[in-house]
Amino acid sequence: MKKALFIVFEGPDGSGQTTQSELLTKWFERRGERVLLTKEPTNSLIGGIIRTALKGEWRIDMKTFQLLFTADRAHHLKTEIEPLLRRGIHVISDRYILSTLAYGSLEEDLEWLKSINSKFPVPDLTFILNVPGKICTKRIAKTRFGFEFFETAQKLERVRNNYLKLKNYFPNTFVIKGYGRGPRKIHKEIVKIVEEYLKKR
């Protein structure tokens, strides 16, 4: 049995990482391969607490906030991601460690954030959707009724820059231009990278 792939999509809110993760999941399915799409924060109890804080329904200090993200990730890996990979099922995750580093370092020390996530598995492939903050907020405004904690053009631009600084943090990380062209063209670029990776395995 070939090793299952763990693929992660990253980017500022509104960058299109959810759309691209869904398109790649469908691509694997059309190939007849077993795949599961998941996301962070999860739908667990911890993930629910995180979402209430993101919506401003619960006030929380940033250090505790980042520890919650890390706890949610640990639970996610233990109960979902790692068991699926062991069964030979590809896992595509909408957000993972780089989200904590890119967003969390707006308020907290980057090295501390790296340390609390240092024991987690490294993805086989990571795609960072590179989209300016102003474009991200315009997209969010079209699809949602309100904005969450990090969703201002200025914050998202800082997050974008943080992602670009982290592009070499994991091997096999690819920065993909996520604007100025349609989702299908972006998807084709991603598929080409995945196909090349599969050939080299």
Side-chain angles (χ1 to χ4, degrees), residues 71-87:
D72 188 45
R73 180 164 301 125
H75 181 72
H76 192 200
L77 284 161
K78 187 74 172 177
T79 61
E80 186 172 26
I81 294 173
E82 291 175 337
L84 288 167
L85 292 173
R86 285 195 295 270
R87 290 166 53 197

Side-chain angles (χ1 to χ4, degrees), residues 20-32:
Q20 292 305 321
S21 61
E22 290 172 351
L23 288 172
L24 189 63
T25 299
K26 291 175 183 175
W27 179 80
F28 273 108
E29 289 172 342
R30 287 195 298 272
R31 286 166 55 96

Side-chain angles (χ1 to χ4, degrees), residues 35-156:
V35 60
L36 184 130
L37 173 61
T38 188
K39 64 179 180 179
E40 294 186 357
T42 68
N43 291 322
S44 71
L45 177 61
I46 305 170
I49 295 170
I50 290 169
R51 280 190 291 277
T52 61
L54 284 170
K55 292 175 183 176
E57 297 170 3
W58 181 51
R59 294 185 68 183
I60 185 173
D61 69 276
M62 285 298 108
K63 195 172 290 294
T64 303
F65 198 26
Q66 295 308 322
L67 287 169
L68 282 171
F69 275 108
T70 304
D72 188 45
R73 180 164 301 125
H75 181 72
H76 192 200
L77 284 161
K78 187 74 172 177
T79 61
E80 186 172 26
I81 294 173
E82 291 175 337
L84 288 167
L85 292 173
R86 285 195 295 270
R87 290 166 53 197
I89 299 171
H90 302 304
V91 176
I92 297 174
S93 185
D94 179 354
R95 300 201 175 286
Y96 189 55
I97 292 172
L98 291 189
S99 283
T100 291
L101 305 185
Y103 279 87
S105 60
L106 295 181
E107 303 282 346
E108 290 295 332
D109 177 64
L110 178 60
E111 295 308 312
W112 176 69
L113 293 168
K114 287 179 179 179
S115 70
I116 62 175
N117 285 274
S118 63
K119 301 299 182 182
F120 296 144
V122 173
D124 294 294
L125 288 166
T126 301
F127 294 101
I128 297 172
L129 276 297
N130 180 23
V131 178
K134 286 183 179 179
I135 294 176
C136 289
T137 51
K138 286 180 182 178
R139 291 178 178 178
I140 293 167
K142 287 180 180 179
T143 57
R144 292 192 224 150
F145 290 111
F147 290 86
E148 294 182 347
F149 179 79
F150 290 107
E151 294 174 345
T152 67
Q154 284 185 332
K155 282 184 179 178
L156 291 178

Side-chain angles (χ1 to χ4, degrees), residues 131-186:
V131 178
K134 286 183 179 179
I135 294 176
C136 289
T137 51
K138 286 180 182 178
R139 291 178 178 178
I140 293 167
K142 287 180 180 179
T143 57
R144 292 192 224 150
F145 290 111
F147 290 86
E148 294 182 347
F149 179 79
F150 290 107
E151 294 174 345
T152 67
Q154 284 185 332
K155 282 184 179 178
L156 291 178
E157 185 62 22
R158 289 173 62 198
V159 168
R160 175 200 186 195
N161 289 329
N162 285 346
Y163 270 121
L164 295 178
K165 291 174 186 175
L166 292 161
K167 65 182 180 180
N168 296 318
Y169 188 67
F170 290 136
N172 301 315
T173 296
F174 299 86
V175 177
I176 306 293
K177 183 184 176 185
Y179 63 102
R181 53 184 179 156
R184 291 289 171 183
K185 285 191 176 181
I186 297 167

